[in-house]
Amino acid sequence: TALSNRHGKRHGKKSRSRCSKKPLHVNFKELGWDDWIIAPLGYEAYHCEGVCDFPLRSHLEPTNHAIIQTLMNSMDPYSTPPSCCVPTKLSPISILYTDSGNNVVYKQYEEMVVEQCGCR
Amino acid sequence: FQSAARISPSVPRRNREARISHPGAQRSSKFLKDILTYLQPAAGHHKHEPKDAIVPHEYMLSIYRTYSAAEKLGLNASFFRSSKSANTITSFVDRGTDNLLHSPLRRQKYLFDVSTLSEKEELVGAELRIFRKAQGNAQKSGIYDIQLYPCRSDRQLNSRSLDPMDSATSGWEVLDVWDAFKAHRQHHYHQQQRHLCFQLRVTQGQTEVDLRQLGLDRSGRTQQEKAILVAYTRSKKRENLFNEMKEKIKSRRSVGEKEEKPRTRGFKGEGPRRRRR
């Protein structure tokens, strides 16, 4: 039995947003990396936040494990935690920086920007 | 190009301390602690001051601009085929100088410190880019032949023609040095040979030409006009951003140790003040 009303919200619980992509701006200067990163000065990395609760939507691309865990969590929240809201698709960004020999290097770094979030 | 400006670190001290005392940081590995220590003002004196600012060559800036724009358009994978599937492009600035006593200037040695290029990176291309300044009094007949050799061999690496009319305008001469760079890496892998050296000469017919005539002399060159060796590499495994941080910390630490050494001489048990005296 799912512990939710017809709007999909749980009784007696503060409603939290579903797992989704949220803004996260990375500023290399604040990280103290501006002495070796030439460009960009920062970028939009995004992050994943929200709950993975029953029923899981297909756009969250849940793994079979996440479906089982979410189902068990919906039946008994004390025995099993909900599945995790994490990045499921990431994209690269280009960075221009100086290496330890002060050579200027261009590099494409994989998995820097969150494109999609899902339940795992 | 706003992002090209090098900005000195100015993160407020209290912000850094707050970050260090964060519970997540307490659980961090030794490496993360190193990073946090590196961010502290005490270690900051090893950071580059604005006077040491590195001016990137326009070529590197244009690579960055083009590829980051392509990324935003989603042209990622296919676009990189044009750059030999490289995901890293490193520019090494020429450290060679012309011997001013040699007049006419018949040959030039171009010297590059390539020691920072990791052996884990697969070299997929390399080119030597030499800036040629415009010459008003260029000859109007005959074709020039630009020839490139290794410094310790007479085996020609590459050559290209230069029309005398072209010498009236400034421009970059690009010579493929991939084979030479590959050979250098194979032969000197265990010897840790730091420098890659090329010799340039220009002929017209059978005669060697004074390189000054073609605007190739290197005196009074700005940083952006210096020759660069551009290496196109592809990482064999997925790149971790922290590798660069590790390298930076290592190099800063070695600089720091060199600076500290004279101060640490002294008798056992002496305090820092006494050792300084």
Side-chain angles (χ1 to χ4, degrees), chain B residues 31 34-35 245-253:
Chain B
F31 174 56
D34 280 349
I35 289 179
M245 279 306 294
K246 268 185 206 169
E247 286 303 313
K248 278 279 163 189
I249 289 165
K250 246 190 262 173
S251 72
R252 296 284 152 78
R253 193 175 282 156

Side-chain angles (χ1 to χ4, degrees), chain B residues 154-171:
Chain B
D154 290 329
R155 186 180 59 85
Q156 190 176 302
L157 293 172
N158 202 343
S159 70
R160 56 163 299 175
S161 304
L162 176 69
D163 193 294
M165 296 300 281
D166 291 341
S167 65
T169 54
S170 299

Side-chain angles (χ1 to χ4, degrees), chain B residues 168-206:
Chain B
T169 54
S170 299
W172 289 87
E173 301 301 329
V174 183
L175 294 144
D176 191 317
V177 291
W178 185 22
D179 288 336
F181 205 159
K182 271 192 293 188
H184 173 86
R185 291 184 110 200
Q186 281 165 6
H187 294 140
H188 302 294
Y189 177 67
H190 297 294
Q191 297 167 26
Q192 291 187 318
Q193 184 85 15
R194 295 167 65 90
H195 293 98
L196 187 55
C197 182
F198 299 107
Q199 189 162 218
L200 184 90
R201 67 176 189 169
V202 179
T203 57
Q204 194 175 36
Q206 296 298 313

Side-chain angles (χ1 to χ4, degrees), chain B:
Chain B
F1 189 75
Q2 188 196 353
S3 306
R6 309 303 310 277
I7 299 152
S8 60
S10 59
V11 180
R13 189 191 172 102
R14 63 190 158 82
N15 286 0
R16 287 170 181 161
E17 283 169 351
R19 222 174 276 139
I20 293 162
S21 61
H22 189 274
Q26 286 168 4
R27 290 193 301 269
S28 66
S29 64
K30 183 185 175 296
F31 174 56
L32 189 51
K33 281 177 191 160
D34 280 349
I35 289 179
L36 295 169
T37 309
Y38 165 80
L39 294 176
Q40 286 183 89
H45 69 279
H46 295 314
K47 290 191 169 193
H48 291 287
E49 294 300 323
K51 62 181 166 56
D52 297 330
I54 293 156
V55 184
H57 274 62
E58 183 52 39
Y59 181 69
M60 295 304 289
L61 292 174
S62 90
I63 283 176
Y64 168 76
R65 278 193 295 253
T66 311
Y67 289 177
S68 57
E71 257 163 22
K72 280 166 192 152
L73 294 170
L75 297 172
N76 184 19
S78 58
F79 199 82
F80 272 80
R81 266 174 230 142
S82 65
S83 66
K84 309 165 186 83
S85 305
N87 56 11
T88 307
I89 302 169
T90 309
S91 61
F92 302 94
V93 180
D94 173 35
R95 292 169 182 231
T97 49
D98 292 334
N99 191 338
L100 297 172
L101 299 174
H102 286 180
S103 187
L105 181 67
R106 304 276 190 216
R107 295 183 184 201
Q108 283 178 316
K109 278 185 178 172
Y110 288 88
L111 202 62
F112 302 95
D113 182 347
V114 293
S115 59
T116 55
L117 200 69
S118 167
E119 287 297 329
K120 289 172 190 162
E121 303 259 324
E122 182 191 355
L123 189 71
V124 292
E127 58 192 26
L128 175 62
R129 303 179 70 88
I130 299 170
F131 186 68
R132 187 176 41 71
K133 277 187 173 172
Q135 296 298 298
N137 54 350
Q139 289 182 21
K140 300 286 183 245
S141 62
I143 296 284
Y144 295 111
D145 193 26
I146 301 173
Q147 297 163 6
L148 195 69
Y149 296 84
C151 288
R152 291 181 185 178
S153 162
D154 290 329
R155 186 180 59 85
Q156 190 176 302
L157 293 172
N158 202 343
S159 70
R160 56 163 299 175
S161 304
L162 176 69
D163 193 294
M165 296 300 281
D166 291 341
S167 65
T169 54
S170 299
W172 289 87
E173 301 301 329
V174 183
L175 294 144
D176 191 317
V177 291
W178 185 22
D179 288 336
F181 205 159
K182 271 192 293 188
H184 173 86
R185 291 184 110 200
Q186 281 165 6
H187 294 140
H188 302 294
Y189 177 67
H190 297 294
Q191 297 167 26
Q192 291 187 318
Q193 184 85 15
R194 295 167 65 90
H195 293 98
L196 187 55
C197 182
F198 299 107
Q199 189 162 218
L200 184 90
R201 67 176 189 169
V202 179
T203 57
Q204 194 175 36
Q206 296 298 313
T207 318
E208 280 191 39
V209 177
D210 184 354
L211 300 171
R212 290 190 183 99
Q213 273 180 33
L214 296 169
L216 288 165
D217 57 310
R218 289 177 284 188
S219 56
R221 290 270 170 121
T222 63
Q223 184 70 11
Q224 288 220 334
E225 289 173 342
K226 286 182 179 173
I228 49 171
L229 171 68
V230 182
Y232 296 84
T233 53
R234 189 167 47 208
S235 305
K236 287 170 187 169
K237 59 172 190 165
R238 202 173 61 187
E239 274 299 317
N240 187 327
L241 187 60
F242 289 104
N243 288 342
E244 271 71 41
M245 279 306 294
K246 268 185 206 169
E247 286 303 313
K248 278 279 163 189
I249 289 165
K250 246 190 262 173
S251 72
R252 296 284 152 78
R253 193 175 282 156
S254 66
V255 170
E257 278 166 6
K258 274 177 200 164
E259 285 175 8
E260 295 287 331
K261 238 174 199 171
R263 280 195 272 155
T264 51
R265 277 186 207 139
F267 295 109
K268 208 175 176 180
E270 281 181 339
R273 186 175 291 180
R274 186 169 174 85
R275 279 202 298 273
R276 265 202 300 279
R277 200 187 305 142

